[in-house]
Amino acid sequence: MNTFESEIIRIVSRKTERANYDNISRTNAYLQYYRRNPEIMWSFLASMVSRNAGYNMTDLHSPCFVSALKSELRDQLFMAYEDANWLIFSDAYPQLLIYEESRKTGIPLFKLLSAWRVSPFMIKEWEGFFAAQDQERLLTSLIINEQHLIDRPILRHPVFRRAVFTSFVYRFQDMFHFSTVLFPTLKGELHGYSVSGFKNKNTRIELGKKLGRLLLKSRCSSEFYLFARAVPHTGARFDYEQFFPDRRVPQTPILRMLYPAVCHHIDDYKRDWFHGEDLSRYYFNEEQDGRSELTDWFRRKRNQLQLFSTLKEYARVQKKAGK
């Protein structure tokens, strides 16, 4: 490795560490990157999905979740969101920056991605993209990569699997589709898809592809981008609820008022997910995506969650009074 390459690795590592501070910084970094490199569509998708991770984090401090869940479980749920958000960024952002540097110099530098233990699968995909500029394939490849990346250290982690992904509240949300990825507009509309069966890797990949088509290829794509540009990400759902006709009151503070920066300890060896598997099946779209407009549906579901937590709190009070 020559001095030029060593300097690139140093600079990219520093930029990645700085931008990987928390959910807010990651969301903003993805969006700013997309503005500089609009051909890398995944970076906009990553920014909008990261916004949703922030909403999920602050939800844990809403009256509904505080009354329904114990503090320990809410902390574990936060760490599941945060670890996944951090891990994907730590892997993907160096890829984005190395592409940017390769484009500037006109020299493919993707072999340097091994410094961050990026999968051989993605190194090959970036080299192919640099030559052919197949934007759709790269988008799908990055979705495949991120979901394989988090499968072992997050979804199958013993602590998260026992405390979070098999808990009653997780099964409850999974069954009733309370977990939803939303793309807002400045008109107060919400579009997106529900997440059911999130523990299944194939399901997550197909969801990512559907979200990508909705965000980047639908009639509302420009409106989603206008929202992202106009509304700073705070992590609170009031970012988009402020545009609802009924002018809702914020239910939670902003994310940085709730959570400090977190130290992460994910073993490097757990990043190694690709071992020559045939992943060609993921590049085909077989099903129609279905209805994506979720404004009324989502508000009804939020009301159901509010009712559920109220009933649970009532039962807790009655039980305490009966002692």
Side-chain angles (χ1 to χ4, degrees):
M1 184 179 297
N2 58 41
T3 303
F4 171 69
E5 292 173 337
S6 298
E7 181 65 7
I8 289 177
I9 290 173
R10 186 187 68 81
I11 292 171
V12 168
S13 294
R14 187 181 71 234
K15 288 182 177 180
T16 301
E17 182 178 3
R18 185 185 304 134
N20 208 1
Y21 177 77
D22 65 4
N23 173 264
I24 304 297
S25 61
R26 293 171 207 129
T27 302
N28 294 338
Y30 284 135
L31 180 60
Q32 293 306 314
Y33 184 90
Y34 179 70
R35 293 179 63 184
R36 300 194 305 270
N37 306 277
E39 71 274 22
I40 310 300
M41 299 184 292
W42 181 86
S43 58
F44 185 33
L45 175 63
S47 180
M48 295 301 282
V49 173
S50 184
R51 277 190 182 244
N52 278 264
Y55 302 152
N56 291 333
M57 291 173 183
T58 57
D59 276 349
L60 298 171
H61 285 263
S62 69
C64 299
F65 278 82
V66 170
S67 65
L69 304 180
K70 294 181 179 179
S71 176
E72 182 181 6
L73 178 54
R74 288 189 288 115
D75 290 343
Q76 290 167 334
L77 281 165
F78 165 74
M79 283 307 305
Y81 293 131
E82 170 65 16
D83 275 351
N85 205 225
W86 176 89
L87 180 57
I88 290 171
F89 190 92
S90 69
D91 181 79
Y93 202 59
Q95 298 179 48
L96 303 182
L97 295 182
I98 289 295
Y99 164 73
E100 199 167 40
E101 193 63 33
S102 297
R103 196 181 66 170
K104 288 177 184 177
T105 62
I107 303 170
L109 299 167
F110 304 107
K111 66 178 183 179
L112 300 182
L113 291 174
S114 59
W116 296 277
R117 301 185 72 91
V118 172
S119 68
F121 166 75
M122 276 315 305
I123 293 175
K124 182 179 179 181
E125 289 298 314
W126 277 109
E127 290 171 343
F129 175 75
F130 198 71
Q133 293 291 300
D134 187 337
Q135 297 181 18
E136 295 285 348
R137 182 179 178 90
L138 182 67
L139 171 63
T140 301
S141 298
L142 284 162
I143 292 169
I144 293 168
N145 179 69
E146 66 175 301
Q147 294 306 327
H148 279 84
L149 181 70
I150 66 171
D151 195 60
R152 182 180 179 189
I154 309 297
L155 277 297
R156 291 195 283 151
H157 189 285
V159 173
F160 291 147
R161 184 172 58 195
R162 181 178 64 254
V164 175
F165 297 114
T166 58
S167 67
F168 166 74
V169 70
Y170 175 80
R171 294 196 301 273
F172 177 84
Q173 292 192 84
D174 192 52
M175 184 182 303
F176 291 101
H177 304 280
F178 284 118
S179 297
T180 306
V181 178
L182 298 172
F183 299 148
T185 74
L186 296 174
K187 299 176 182 178
E189 297 174 351
L190 299 174
H191 296 257
Y193 295 110
S194 299
V195 183
S196 182
F198 191 75
K199 289 184 288 185
N200 185 291
K201 180 171 51 188
N202 296 334
T203 298
R204 298 196 306 273
I205 290 171
E206 291 306 314
L207 172 68
K209 290 161 61 179
K210 287 174 60 175
L211 291 170
R213 291 190 292 273
L214 172 62
L215 183 66
L216 299 155
K217 301 294 182 180
S218 73
R219 61 178 179 79
C220 297
S221 295
S222 60
E223 294 185 46
F224 300 144
Y225 184 61
L226 286 174
F227 178 90
R229 287 286 305 273
V231 182
H233 175 55
T234 72
R237 291 192 185 273
F238 191 69
D239 288 358
Y240 63 79
E241 290 181 340
Q242 64 183 304
F243 299 105
F244 286 174
D246 54 2
R247 298 287 183 178
R248 293 196 172 193
V249 176
Q251 294 294 304
T252 64
I254 62 176
L255 188 141
R256 284 181 171 169
M257 293 178 63
L258 297 172
Y259 299 109
V262 174
C263 292
H264 297 268
H265 304 285
I266 295 177
D267 295 332
D268 279 344
Y269 77 89
K270 292 182 179 178
R271 295 172 181 263
D272 297 333
W273 65 265
F274 182 69
H275 305 287
E277 300 93 328
D278 180 8
L279 303 172
S280 59
R281 66 188 183 280
Y282 292 122
Y283 292 94
F284 297 95
N285 299 320
E286 298 180 353
E287 298 182 2
Q288 295 297 318
D289 292 344
R291 181 173 176 269
S292 71
E293 208 286 323
L294 298 178
T295 310
D296 294 336
W297 178 90
F298 180 75
R299 293 170 76 175
R300 287 197 303 272
K301 289 297 180 182
R302 296 286 287 181
N303 290 337
Q304 288 175 15
L305 185 58
Q306 175 73 57
L307 176 61
F308 167 75
S309 62
T310 300
L311 292 174
K312 187 165 184 177
E313 176 65 14
Y314 175 77
R316 187 188 65 81
V317 171
Q318 289 296 103
K319 183 177 180 181
K320 185 176 180 181
K323 289 184 177 179

